[in-house]
Every structure is written in C-alpha cells, then in structure tokens.
Amino acid sequence: MGAPMVPTDRRRPDSQFQALVEHAQVGMALIQEDRLLYVNPKYCEIFGYSRNELLAGMTQLELVAGSDRGFVASNMAKLLGGALSGAAFVFRGVRKDGATIDVEAHGAVMKIGDGLAHIVSLMDVSDRQRAAEQTREDAAQIRALLEQPVAAIFVIKDDMTIGYENRRFIELL
C-alpha cells in the first residue's frame, strides 16, 4: 500500500484538509451538543467502533469510563463556556470490546452555524501510561532493596563525595 493520494488542486483547500484529517495518525472528532458529528478513521480505531456506529447518535461521554465522565464533562463545559481556550488532559476511555484505555485528549471550540462545537484530537497513550507505572514500581522496589538493613551501601560521586548512603551504612559509621 502506497502513500495516500492528497488532492493537489489549490483551488480546493477543503479537499486537501479533509484528506489530511482522514489520514491523521491521531483520532479526530467534531462534537456538538454532546453528539459526534464527525470522526476520522484513527478515532474509530482507538475505540474499536465503525464510523457508522459512532455517528449513529453516540455521545463522547459514552466512550469515557464512568469514573472519568464528570472530569471530561467539566473540561468540555469549561471549553464551551470560554473558561479555557484549549484543553489537554488524560482520561480512561472504554473501547467497544469493554477494554479500558488511557486516552490523551486535546480540545478546542469552534463555531458551526449558530452554535459552538468541540474539535478534539485523541491518542491512545495506554502503553506510555503502563511504562510510566512500571518505572515507578521499579524505582520503589530498588529503593526498598537499598534500604534493607542487611548490607551497607553507599555511592561515591565523581568528585569523591558520597552521593547516597543507606541506613545500614550510617549505622556502621
């Protein structure tokens, strides 16, 4: 499969923009009055739904884990109310298969007709969140091992000063 064809007619920037959004590597959606009006293919992939399923009356909040719905709804209301010019936050989303995913969202407001709408870009950051949690767990385990009273442990820095010492080392001094 080759690169996507992007229209080159400079008189039709709307078709170029549509091609750009359709091939974006982030999920994009247009939401008005809590209804999904537009979703790109990546958005569908992130949540595991077809475009038709999402546009058949689903709300953005149906894709948010129950424990995060208030948080997401509050951010969306602040955007529409003008309290925020843009928003970026992470929430737990729910895929069609019921799996929970970590989603990073970036949102802004735009005028459509007589109303306002949210334009949202999303990324599944589940792997990044899991890696960060694993790093925190590993660091906690290392700290716990270093503080064991069995052995005296110390680290000497380049300038020949002690950069770290555990309790057992201090007890032996």
Side-chain angles (χ1 to χ4, degrees), residues 2-24:
M5 294 296 293
V6 177
T8 57
D9 184 351
R10 295 192 189 285
R11 295 168 295 180
R12 298 289 317 238
D14 55 331
S15 63
Q16 290 176 338
F17 180 76
Q18 183 176 0
L20 173 73
V21 172
E22 285 292 307
H23 294 93

Side-chain angles (χ1 to χ4, degrees), residues 19 32 42 46 55 82 88 100 108-109 111 114 119 128 140 146 152:
Q32 191 171 39
K42 187 66 171 184
I46 289 170
L55 299 180
T100 301
V109 173
K111 188 168 176 61
D114 293 334
I119 185 164
R128 183 173 73 190
L146 290 174

Side-chain angles (χ1 to χ4, degrees), residues 34-96:
D34 199 34
R35 295 284 176 210
L36 294 164
L37 301 180
Y38 169 81
V39 293
N40 73 348
K42 187 66 171 184
Y43 189 97
C44 298
E45 179 186 320
I46 289 170
F47 290 105
Y49 288 92
S50 71
R51 183 177 282 177
N52 289 339
E53 289 172 308
L54 289 168
L55 299 180
M58 285 189 79
T59 68
Q60 174 66 35
L61 292 178
E62 289 178 70
L63 302 171
V64 177
S67 59
D68 284 0
R69 284 190 183 144
F71 170 70
V72 172
S74 173
N75 277 310
M76 292 173 75
K78 287 176 186 175
L79 276 169
L80 284 178
L84 298 173
S85 60
F89 53 91
V90 176
F91 68 91
R92 285 180 304 278
V94 180
R95 292 180 44 84
K96 182 179 180 178

Side-chain angles (χ1 to χ4, degrees), residues 138-165:
D138 292 348
Q141 288 177 346
I142 290 168
R143 276 192 301 278
L145 287 171
L146 290 174
E147 292 302 321
Q148 293 295 319
V150 178
I153 300 173
F154 64 97
V155 175
I156 297 178
K157 298 189 297 187
D158 290 339
D159 64 1
M160 301 307 287
T161 60
I162 295 176
Y164 170 83
E165 69 275 346

Side-chain angles (χ1 to χ4, degrees), residues 101-121:
I101 57 174
D102 295 305
V103 179
E104 182 178 308
H106 296 264
V109 173
M110 63 183 284
K111 188 168 176 61
I112 296 183
D114 293 334
L116 297 176
H118 292 101
I119 185 164
V120 180
S121 63

